[in-house]
């Protein structure tokens, strides 16, 4: 007993001081080598600006508990250097603080500096000012571009060096990345692509980081850059020399969602299968992209058309709650991998076929270390395989892990983690009736030009070059004087307005009245509208409000894709040629305004004397600002706003933008949504979809730390028309917990290693309420098969324990108190 206690104290000391000393990180053909030791590592992506700093410690803790060794993040250039030469590392841009917290949790960091990050992040992370610099060409061997990139990378490295955050300084950063998935687009950049990549590698290695660098999706990465793989599966990948370890920098745990499309998800069994296959076939580092996806606050979402939610169906959900069973199932996988680590780092795997679509891989040394992986690659047929004299059940599309080459401790298709369902609960609920937000005040945004900063150009201008993304909005305004005898005024002239747009969305007004609207979608950003219009004698004005919805972040030359209106015509048989082009560059005057009146008046902050509250709250009217105040829901549950009843716009809480909302953008009801998707077989982002016929996103996250107990300002700019009285404040709650344990349940991973490989132990299941405020209200379903165990409700408040032999299903309804 005595000696055990001191051992524990010693271990704790080691754990808490692990990052005070320099750590030497290198690599060989097998693995990353940390202080001379090869490691099998598990990593997950968490992007610091996609949550609040107050959420970081909990996200990191849940990552550590989930079995991660490393947290991976991009560095977002346009977050840190909004104006050229002015750097911001405050608030959710406090990268040094984020890295320190990861280090304090005893974890490592993989820093992907980019500076191109893709990430479904606005403009792929590039600041817009970069686009405006003379003779600038992005992501190629261009002197201006290279100079700016080098300056930014040096700034980041210098800043983090100053905080001693690299492993060689005793910090947690063990790996760095330069560029990002350039190999995917390289051929479009011609011969200057390779010289650019070689330059990027040289520039990176010249930086004082003393940790290995990776280039993902870059098969021609020059030494010493480690080329790595991103995808749904990367088991077939091999690095470009046998001196580099096999690393999976992005195992897509789900997929992002786009406005107007159904929401993708990926079954836990298949994520686990992909990771296990990678470790089976010589892989030694898997990073889940994303482990926590989070939220695209403000205008940070890219795309175009990436939603404000960046949940990604990740193991930790957008709100910071564990997504079960995904989180737990992967945690179990990580334990199984760690039990196999000693054998795995000692040697390469030997893979042999043990039947059709069946593979066994053995990591075995002469000194008695042995770990094995058995895979069934068939997408239909379960199998029973013989391996070293024993017989094993192997479900279709699964991998079993045998850390001692005998006992299966984990199979990717057998989920033994608890499952939860979460829901949004309306707040506050007073005496059984749902309180709605009331006491709205409002301001009607003028249609067309209203600011003294408007300007005239001949013809239709590209949008992004003009707005430089200072606003989503660009007004295009055209006036024409019609004499009383103009043919377009004749009865039966059937005049139509035709507008072409490169993207992303548009409202068309004639003489102040909405006549039509249009929007693109992620699969085709551009669109056209053609709507009947009526003119009047004298002055007529066509006002087109063109909107960007997140700037493009992917593809060759994505930075020059452009947006806004590129065609405008009047069509009528009364016209000489049947059509009149309003885009003749040298003749047609168009007037422009960047942004809207409310920006100028700082309405989003809540404070302005333009707000009115009489006589009657306008509903379903275009371009209307609304404001109210609300109290924070009691408790610590994550908070969201339900924008049911609203169309499209943006919302601010206490002056900070929670992002764009677009509740009226509904996913196609004909898309192939499936409630329960078969994990077996090749996954793709279109395979498992939900929300068909529903808004792509209805709920919008408000971080708890943004809220005061009472008197929080909510400001909404509604573009197309909505009813703000339908908006409600909700909290995200875990409603049900459920667990299934099968007869063929692998041995429990929680047991001490020595025991569990040699003894048969009855599995024990513990279900706990996620919050101390919850009680178990109902045991929804229990099935013991032929029970040998006992059922004991030990603690009404929190815990139910079961022991069983066959299988048990439990669903518990939890009620709020
Ligand atoms: C780091 O480790 C590598 C090999 O593992 C070794 O060659 C090198 O000398 C070490 N560097 C330091 C500073 O200890
Ligand atoms: C694993 O690495 C060893 C040694 O390079 C090689 O012989 C073997 O084919 C590799 N296995 C796979 C599946 O690539
Ligand atoms: C709720 O109901 C109780 C009892 O009927 C009443 O005293 C209380 O004022 C009600 N609260 C609200 C906010 O309506
Ligand atoms: C309603 O809103 C107005 C303007 O924001 C404010 O002055 C007033 O106190 C509010 N009334 C109530 C009952 O909250
Ligand atoms: C334009 O309007 C702004 C805000 O109303 C005002 O501060 C500014 O002085 C005006 N500028 C000119 C040139 O009129
Ligand atoms: C969008 O652009 C594509 C490619 O340039 C073109 O083929 C298509 O016709 C355009 N669609 C609309 C609606 O303008
Ligand atoms: C027509 O109306 C627009 C917008 O109200 C205005 O800017 C323009 O000066 C007017 N033109 C004439 C000829 O009245
Ligand atoms: C934007 O401006 C740049 C020059 O500053 C020009 O090269 C580019 O073609 C413009 N983009 C579009 C889409 O017009
Ligand atoms: C009609 O079309 C012809 C040929 O495109 C053009 O030369 C002429 O200017 C057009 N007339 C009008 C009134 O737009
Ligand atoms: C769904 O398909 C039907 C039949 O093909 C079609 O009539 C309908 O417009 C489609 N609905 C949507 C929302 O695309
Ligand atoms: C299952 O495997 C077969 C044969 O390899 C293949 O043709 C089929 O497309 C696969 N189905 C799925 C859903 O992956």
């Amino acid at each position: 007993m005595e000696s055990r206690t001191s051992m524990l104290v010693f271990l704790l000391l080691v754990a808490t001081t692990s990052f005070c000393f320099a750590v030497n990180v290198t690599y060989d053909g097998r693995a990353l080598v940390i202080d001379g030791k090869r490691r099998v590592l598990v990593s997950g992506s968490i992007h610091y600006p996609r949550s609040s700093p107050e959420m970081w410690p909990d996200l990191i803790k849940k990552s550590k508990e989930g079995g991660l060794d490393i947290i991976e993040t991009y560095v977002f250039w346009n977050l840190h250097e909004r104006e050229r030469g002015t750097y911001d590392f405050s608030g959710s841009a406090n990268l040094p603080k984020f890295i320190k917290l990861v280090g304090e949790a005893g974890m490592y960091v993989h820093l992907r500096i980019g500076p191109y990050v893709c990430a479904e992040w606005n403009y792929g992370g590039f600041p817009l000012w970069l686009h405006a610099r003379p003779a600038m060409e992005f992501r190629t061997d261009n002197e201006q571009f290279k100079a700016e990139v080098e300056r930014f990378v040096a700034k980041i490295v210098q800043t983090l060096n100053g905080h001693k955050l690299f492993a060689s300084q005793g910090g947690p950063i063990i790996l760095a990345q330069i560029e990002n998935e350039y190999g995917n687009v390289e051929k479009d950049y011609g011969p200057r692509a390779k010289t650019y990549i070689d330059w990027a590698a040289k520039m990176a290695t010249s930086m004082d980081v003393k940790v290995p660098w990776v280039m993902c999706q870059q098969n021609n990465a020059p030494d010493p850059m480690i080329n790595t793989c991103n995808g749904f599966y990367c088991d077939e990948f091999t690095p470009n020399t046998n001196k580099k370890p096999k690393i999976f920098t992005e195992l897509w745990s789900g997929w992002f969602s786009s406005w107007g499309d159904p929401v993708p998800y990926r079954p836990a069994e298949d994520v686990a299968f992909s990771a296990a296959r990678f470790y089976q076939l010589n892989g030694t580092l898997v990073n889940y992209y994303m482990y926590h996806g989070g939220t695209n606050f403000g205008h940070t979402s890219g795309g175009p058309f990436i939603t404000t939610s960046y949940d990604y169906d990740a193991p930790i959900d957008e709100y910071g709650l564990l997504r079960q069973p995904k989180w737990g199932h992967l945690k179990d996988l990580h334990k199984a991998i760690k039990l196999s680590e000693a054998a795995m780092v000692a040697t390469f795997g030997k893979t042999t076929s043990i039947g059709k679509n069946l593979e066994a891989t053995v990591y075995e040394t002469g000194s008695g270390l042995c770990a094995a992986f058995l895979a069934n690659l068939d997408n239909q047929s379960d199998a029973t395989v013989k391996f070293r004299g024993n017989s094993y059940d192997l479900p279709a599309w699964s991998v079993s892990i045998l850390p001692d080459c005998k006992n299966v401790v984990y199979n990717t298709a057998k989920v033994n983690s608890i499952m939860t369902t979460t829901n949004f609960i309306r707040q506050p609920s007073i005496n059984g009736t749902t309180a709605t937000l009331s006491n709205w005040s409002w301001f009607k945004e003028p249609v067309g030009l209203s600011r003294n900063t408007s300007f005239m150009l001949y013809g239709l201008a590209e949008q992004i070059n003009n707005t430089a993304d200072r606003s989503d909005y660009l007004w295009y305004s055209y006036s024409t004087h019609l004499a009383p005898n103009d043919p377009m005024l004749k009865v039966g002239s059937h005049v139509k307005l035709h507008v072409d747009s490169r993207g992303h969305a548009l409202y068309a007004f004639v003489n102040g009245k909405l006549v039509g609207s249009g929007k693109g979608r992620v699969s085709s950003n551009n669109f056209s509208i053609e709507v009947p219009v009526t003119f009047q004698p004298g002055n007529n004005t066509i006002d087109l409000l063109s909107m960007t919805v997140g700037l493009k972040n992917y593809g060759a030359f994505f930075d020059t894709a452009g947006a806004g209106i590129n065609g405008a015509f009047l069509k009528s048989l009364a016209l000489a040629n049947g059509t009149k082009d309003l885009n003749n560059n040298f003749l047609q005057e168009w007037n422009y305004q960047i942004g809207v009146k409310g920006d100028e008046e700082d309405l989003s902050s809540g404070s302005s004397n333009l707000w009115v509250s009489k006589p009657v709250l306008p509903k379903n009217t275009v371009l209307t600002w609304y404001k109210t105040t609300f109290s924070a829901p009691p408790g610590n549950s994550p908070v969201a706003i339900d924008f049911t009843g609203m169309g499209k716009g943006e919302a601010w809480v206490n002056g900070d933008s929670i992002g764009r909302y677009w509740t009226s953008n509904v996913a196609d009801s004909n898309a192939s949504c499936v409630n329960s998707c078969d994990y077996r077989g090749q996954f793709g982002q279109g395979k498992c979809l939900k929300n068909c016929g529903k808004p792509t996103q209805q709920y919008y996250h408000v971080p708890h730390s943004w809220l005061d107990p009472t008197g929080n300002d909510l400001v909404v700019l509604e573009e197309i028309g909505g009813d703000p009285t339908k908006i409600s404040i909700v909290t995200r709650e875990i409603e049900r917990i459920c667990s299934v344990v099968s007869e063929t349940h692998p041995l429990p991973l929680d047991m001490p290693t020595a025991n569990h490989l040699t003894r048969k132990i009855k599995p024990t299941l513990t279900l706990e309420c996620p919050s101390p405020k919850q009680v178990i209200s109902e045991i929804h379903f229990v099935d013991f098969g032929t029970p040998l165990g006992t059922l004991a409700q030990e603690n009404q408040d929190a815990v139910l324990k079961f022991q069983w032999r066959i299988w048990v299903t439990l669903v518990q309804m939890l009620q709020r108190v």
Side-chain angles (χ1 to χ4, degrees):
M1 205 61 207
E2 185 75 37
S3 67
R4 241 194 217 174
T5 315
S6 48
M7 176 95 135
L8 194 68
V9 170
F10 172 74
L11 284 174
L12 282 175
L13 269 177
V14 170
T16 53
T17 56
S18 59
F19 289 113
C20 296
F21 303 108
V23 171
N24 180 15
V25 187
T26 57
Y27 64 83
D28 64 18
R30 182 72 192 105
L32 284 186
V33 178
I34 300 179
D35 274 344
K37 269 200 184 139
R38 286 179 182 161
R39 294 298 311 277
V40 174
L41 295 164
V42 187
S43 173
S45 295
I46 299 179
H47 296 155
Y48 52 99
R50 284 174 157 150
S51 55
S52 63
E54 290 75 11
M55 290 170 71
W56 293 345
D58 185 56
L59 295 175
I60 293 166
K61 181 166 163 273
K62 285 169 171 161
S63 307
K64 171 103 178 159
E65 286 169 7
L68 301 195
D69 305 295
I70 303 174
I71 287 176
E72 177 276 333
T73 183
Y74 282 125
V75 180
F76 299 88
W77 190 354
N78 57 11
L79 178 75
H80 296 295
E81 195 179 356
R82 270 181 224 113
E83 307 285 334
R84 187 166 182 272
T86 308
Y87 293 92
D88 181 7
F89 291 98
S90 68
S92 65
N94 196 336
L95 176 61
K97 179 177 172 180
F98 180 76
I99 296 172
K100 266 182 216 160
L101 287 171
V102 177
E104 280 162 21
M107 300 172 77
Y108 298 122
V109 168
H110 175 199
L111 192 73
R112 301 170 83 188
I113 303 178
Y116 166 65
V117 301
C118 190
E120 291 73 63
W121 184 265
N122 196 41
Y123 214 41
F126 287 124
L128 254 293
W129 55 255
L130 191 66
H131 172 68
R133 309 247 338 139
M136 178 61 63
E137 288 172 283
F138 282 21
R139 301 185 83 197
T140 186
D141 196 353
N142 166 282
E143 293 310 320
Q144 288 73 12
F145 181 70
K146 291 189 296 181
E148 292 296 322
V149 166
E150 182 158 7
R151 195 177 51 76
F152 174 71
V153 173
K155 174 72 187 181
I156 293 299
V157 168
Q158 197 185 66
T159 302
L160 301 182
N161 256 324
H163 288 89
K164 299 203 183 319
L165 292 174
F166 288 97
S168 59
Q169 305 171 294
I173 304 170
I174 58 162
L175 204 56
Q177 177 179 297
I178 198 73
E179 250 297 342
N180 188 43
E181 296 193 342
Y182 189 69
N184 296 2
V185 294
E186 183 164 353
K187 64 175 186 328
D188 296 303
Y189 288 86
R192 289 194 301 160
K194 182 61 175 138
T195 51
Y196 166 62
I197 271 304
D198 290 347
W199 168 83
K202 237 171 116 187
M203 183 270 291
T205 41
S206 76
M207 298 282 161
D208 188 21
V209 306
K210 299 193 183 75
V211 298
W213 286 90
V214 306
M215 279 184 164
C216 64
Q217 295 291 94
Q218 193 68 50
N219 290 338
N220 60 6
D223 297 343
M225 301 283 126
I226 308 170
N227 64 308
T228 65
C229 183
N230 299 346
F232 289 115
Y233 308 93
C234 278
D235 44 312
E236 285 172 9
F237 166 80
T238 47
N240 61 14
T241 79
N242 62 8
K243 296 192 167 56
K244 298 175 186 177
K246 175 169 167 174
I247 294 178
F248 199 164
T249 27
E250 291 188 11
L251 191 173
W252 301 326
S253 58
W255 198 248
F256 54 85
S257 45
S258 306
W259 303 114
D261 285 347
V263 177
Y265 65 96
R266 186 176 187 189
E269 294 93 331
D270 185 55
V271 178
F273 175 76
S274 171
R277 279 294 284 166
F278 191 77
Y279 288 116
Q280 172 172 8
L281 301 180
N282 290 339
T284 44
L285 196 170
V286 169
N287 176 70
Y288 300 100
Y289 185 102
M290 302 296 296
Y291 197 72
H292 168 258
T295 309
N296 291 314
F297 298 111
H299 289 189
T300 59
S301 66
F305 303 110
I306 303 296
T307 54
T308 294
S309 169
Y310 196 65
D311 180 83
Y312 220 90
D313 197 33
I316 302 177
D317 78 9
E318 174 177 9
Y319 294 85
L321 300 179
L322 300 185
R323 172 167 278 116
Q324 297 282 35
K326 194 175 264 187
W327 181 88
H329 191 48
L330 295 175
K331 175 185 170 134
D332 290 347
L333 167 68
H334 306 152
K335 285 185 192 161
I337 293 294
K338 290 296 173 176
L339 290 174
S340 313
E341 182 177 7
M344 287 174 72
V345 296
T347 179
F348 286 92
K350 284 203 182 65
T351 302
T352 50
S353 170
I354 50 171
K356 183 168 175 269
N357 285 332
L358 300 166
E359 277 180 14
T361 299
V362 177
Y363 293 95
E364 187 168 32
T365 65
S367 57
L369 286 171
C370 191
F373 291 73
L374 305 179
N376 181 353
L377 308 178
D378 199 285
N379 59 27
Q380 299 250 300
S381 310
D382 298 346
T384 303
V385 300
K386 280 261 184 279
F387 174 70
R388 299 201 164 189
N390 293 320
S391 165
Y392 299 89
D393 289 331
L394 215 45
W397 203 257
S398 81
V399 177
S400 281
I401 300 176
L402 297 69
D404 59 352
C405 286
K406 265 200 223 77
N407 291 289
V408 174
V409 299
Y410 183 84
N411 175 276
T412 58
K414 292 178 184 168
V415 178
N416 294 302
S417 155
I418 63 159
M419 292 168 231
T420 58
T421 58
T422 44
N423 209 348
F424 291 96
I425 309 291
R426 274 197 166 209
Q427 291 280 336
S429 183
I430 302 161
N431 285 0
T433 60
T434 304
T436 46
L437 298 173
S438 56
N439 198 27
W440 289 95
S441 32
W442 62 89
F443 169 72
K444 288 279 289 161
E445 177 69 34
V447 168
L449 310 180
S450 59
R451 295 173 62 168
N452 59 16
T453 50
S454 64
F455 54 95
M456 193 281 283
L457 296 170
Y458 289 102
L460 293 166
E462 194 280 322
Q463 181 157 349
I464 299 166
N465 272 353
N466 280 289
T467 63
D469 205 29
R470 277 171 290 152
S471 170
D472 278 358
Y473 304 116
L474 183 64
W475 279 107
Y476 292 68
S477 182
Y478 176 85
S479 288
T480 183
H481 190 89
L482 300 184
N485 62 350
D486 191 285
M488 284 196 289
L489 297 176
K490 287 210 183 94
V491 178
S493 62
H494 298 301
V495 184
K496 284 183 181 155
L497 171 67
H498 179 103
V499 182
D500 297 320
S501 172
R502 290 186 195 85
H504 307 148
L506 158 75
Y507 303 120
F509 299 85
V510 170
N511 296 331
K513 285 213 174 65
L514 183 72
V515 294
S517 66
K519 62 177 194 285
R521 55 193 305 158
V522 77
S523 51
S524 105
N525 302 341
N526 60 343
F527 61 91
S528 299
I529 64 168
E530 195 164 288
V531 289
V533 294
T534 323
F535 290 122
Q536 64 197 25
N539 198 1
N540 290 275
T541 303
I542 298 170
D543 290 304
L544 305 175
L545 181 59
S546 177
M547 284 157 287
T548 49
V549 189
L551 301 191
K552 202 165 180 191
N553 59 266
Y554 185 71
F557 311 108
F558 73 84
D559 50 302
T560 58
I565 290 152
N566 59 351
F569 307 88
L570 294 176
K571 292 185 173 177
S572 166
L573 291 177
L575 289 165
N577 284 355
T579 179
K580 181 180 178 190
D581 187 354
L582 306 181
N583 185 31
N584 181 324
N585 287 337
F586 301 103
L587 294 175
Q588 313 283 2
E589 289 187 3
W590 283 82
N591 286 289
Y592 292 88
Q593 175 183 301
I594 298 165
V596 291
K597 183 85 179 165
D599 299 339
E600 187 175 75
E601 302 293 337
D602 205 17
L603 288 193
S604 60
S605 74
S607 62
S608 162
N609 52 18
L610 292 182
W611 294 109
V612 297
S613 47
K614 283 188 175 64
V616 182
L617 175 68
K619 291 180 185 172
N620 301 312
T621 56
V622 293
L623 298 175
T624 312
W625 294 79
Y626 296 101
K627 182 183 95 144
T628 189
T629 57
F630 68 99
S631 298
N636 298 322
S637 300
V639 179
I641 299 179
D642 177 352
F643 276 99
T644 296
M646 301 299 281
K648 175 183 185 299
E650 183 170 352
W652 295 261
V653 169
N654 295 329
D656 287 322
S657 172
I658 63 168
R660 302 180 186 93
Y661 68 86
W662 200 347
T663 333
S664 61
N665 209 343
V666 170
D668 190 345
S669 58
N670 290 351
S672 48
C673 280
V674 273
N675 280 334
S676 169
C677 185
D678 189 348
Y679 66 84
R680 298 173 305 174
Q682 203 78 16
F683 183 82
Q685 64 265 36
K687 182 178 174 186
C688 306
L689 302 172
K690 57 184 186 184
N691 271 28
C692 288
K694 293 184 187 156
T696 305
Q697 187 179 354
Q698 178 181 348
Y699 300 99
Y700 296 77
H701 183 203
V702 184
H704 233 291
S705 58
W706 292 20
L707 296 173
D708 296 322
T710 58
N712 299 291
D713 280 329
L714 169 63
V715 171
V716 177
L717 170 54
E718 171 57 46
E719 296 162 4
I720 189 69
D723 178 355
T725 65
K726 298 216 168 95
I727 295 175
S728 56
I729 307 295
V730 298
T731 60
R732 187 160 170 85
E733 310 284 356
I734 294 173
E735 274 200 325
R736 290 179 174 205
I737 305 182
C738 149
S739 192
V740 179
V741 174
S742 60
E743 190 179 10
T744 52
H745 177 51
L747 292 165
L749 286 155
D750 282 328
M751 295 296 154
T753 319
N755 280 348
H756 102 252
L757 293 179
T758 53
R759 272 206 283 144
K760 288 266 177 203
I761 296 156
K762 280 184 216 153
T764 303
L765 174 66
T766 305
L767 284 179
E768 270 180 80
C769 289
S771 145
K773 289 201 175 164
Q774 290 173 311
V775 295
I776 292 163
S777 66
E778 190 183 341
I779 296 169
H780 196 70
F781 185 74
V782 182
D783 192 328
F784 305 104
T786 313
L788 292 182
T790 54
L791 165 61
Q793 196 164 339
E794 290 196 343
N795 179 343
Q796 169 67 26
D797 223 344
V799 187
L800 265 180
K801 281 193 176 159
F802 297 89
Q803 290 193 323
W804 61 90
R805 267 290 282 265
I806 313 296
W807 59 275
V808 175
T809 305
L810 279 178
V811 179
Q812 301 174 29
M813 305 251 300
L814 304 174
Q815 74 186 17
R816 299 171 41 77
V817 289

